[in-house]
């Protein structure tokens, strides 16, 4: 039925085009004729367009249905989370060690405020065993 409708449409466009040519004798570059030529429906293009639209709707529905699956990519990237955490730590009032503990807690999803004093001290002790907790710039004087 769609093919028949496209053919009827094309025949109507051709009829109007021929009538304009016979009545007004426009040149080949006439914009009205170009519009009528562009109004022609190619059955291959029509059907591929229809299938593509249907597939796009199906794919969009599938994506929406599986957006929160564990295999789906998260909405925010690791870089976004790290940037956000670094900004929060930058505004944190405390020593360098406290700021690093806050950063590690944020990265691990631990609420820093819920740590007891003893847990905080243990965490500092554990983190100091890391080479990454060292001072980033050598404190020795150059000779």
């Amino acid at each position: 039925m769609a093919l028949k409708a496209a053919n009827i449409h094309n025949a109507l466009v051709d009829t109007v085009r021929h009538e304009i040519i016979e009545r007004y004798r426009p040149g080949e570059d006439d914009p009205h004729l170009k519009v009528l030529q562009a109004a022609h429906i190619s059955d291959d293009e029509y059907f591929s367009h229809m299938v593509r639209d249907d597939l796009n709707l199906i794919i969009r529905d599938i994506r929406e249905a599986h957006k929160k699956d564990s295999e789906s990519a998260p909405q925010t990237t690791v870089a976004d989370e790290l940037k956000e955490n670094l900004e929060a730590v930058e505004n944190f009032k405390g020593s360098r060690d406290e700021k690093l503990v806050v950063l590690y807690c944020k990265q691990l999803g631990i609420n820093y405020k819920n740590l007891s004093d003893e847990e905080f001290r243990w965490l500092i002790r554990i983190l100091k065993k890391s080479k990454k907790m060292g001072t980033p710039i050598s404190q020795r004087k150059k000779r």
Side-chain angles (χ1 to χ4, degrees):
M1 289 188 68
L3 182 58
K4 189 172 187 174
N7 288 336
I8 291 170
H9 169 80
N10 288 339
L12 179 62
V13 169
D14 287 341
T15 303
V16 170
R17 187 170 177 270
H18 288 298
E19 189 173 321
I20 289 172
I21 290 172
E22 286 179 16
R23 190 179 292 178
Y24 300 106
R25 305 266 182 231
E28 289 183 27
D29 292 336
D30 184 71
H32 300 95
L33 290 181
K34 289 193 182 255
V35 168
L36 288 172
Q37 196 171 12
H40 241 262
I41 297 173
S42 161
D43 49 336
D44 287 340
E45 286 181 27
Y46 173 77
F47 286 113
S48 66
H49 180 73
M50 294 302 293
V51 169
R52 186 175 52 245
D53 283 352
D54 288 346
L55 286 175
N56 284 340
L57 290 172
I58 292 167
I59 290 170
R60 187 176 309 125
D61 288 345
I62 290 171
R63 285 180 57 206
E64 283 298 318
H66 295 281
K67 204 176 232 180
K68 296 184 181 181
D69 287 359
S70 62
E71 298 91 19
S72 295
Q75 295 294 323
T76 59
T77 65
V78 174
D80 292 336
E81 288 179 22
L82 181 59
K83 182 180 176 186
E84 184 180 304
N85 291 343
L86 287 172
E87 287 172 358
V89 168
E90 187 177 314
N91 298 327
F92 182 80
K93 304 285 186 230
S95 70
R96 180 179 180 276
D97 289 343
E98 287 175 309
K99 287 183 178 186
L100 285 171
V101 168
V102 169
L103 179 61
Y104 285 118
C105 285
K106 285 192 169 293
Q107 289 297 106
L108 295 171
I110 299 170
N111 187 344
Y112 169 78
K113 294 176 183 177
N114 289 344
L115 291 178
S116 68
D117 289 339
E118 184 180 347
E119 290 171 330
F120 174 77
R121 284 191 302 274
W122 272 107
L123 192 51
I124 290 282
R125 284 183 200 147
I126 292 168
L127 291 176
K128 283 195 181 228
K129 292 182 183 236
S130 168
K131 293 177 184 177
K132 305 224 183 251
M133 281 288 283
T135 310
I137 301 171
S138 174
Q139 298 298 317
R140 281 200 248 168
K141 292 184 181 179
K142 294 185 178 181
R143 293 181 184 164

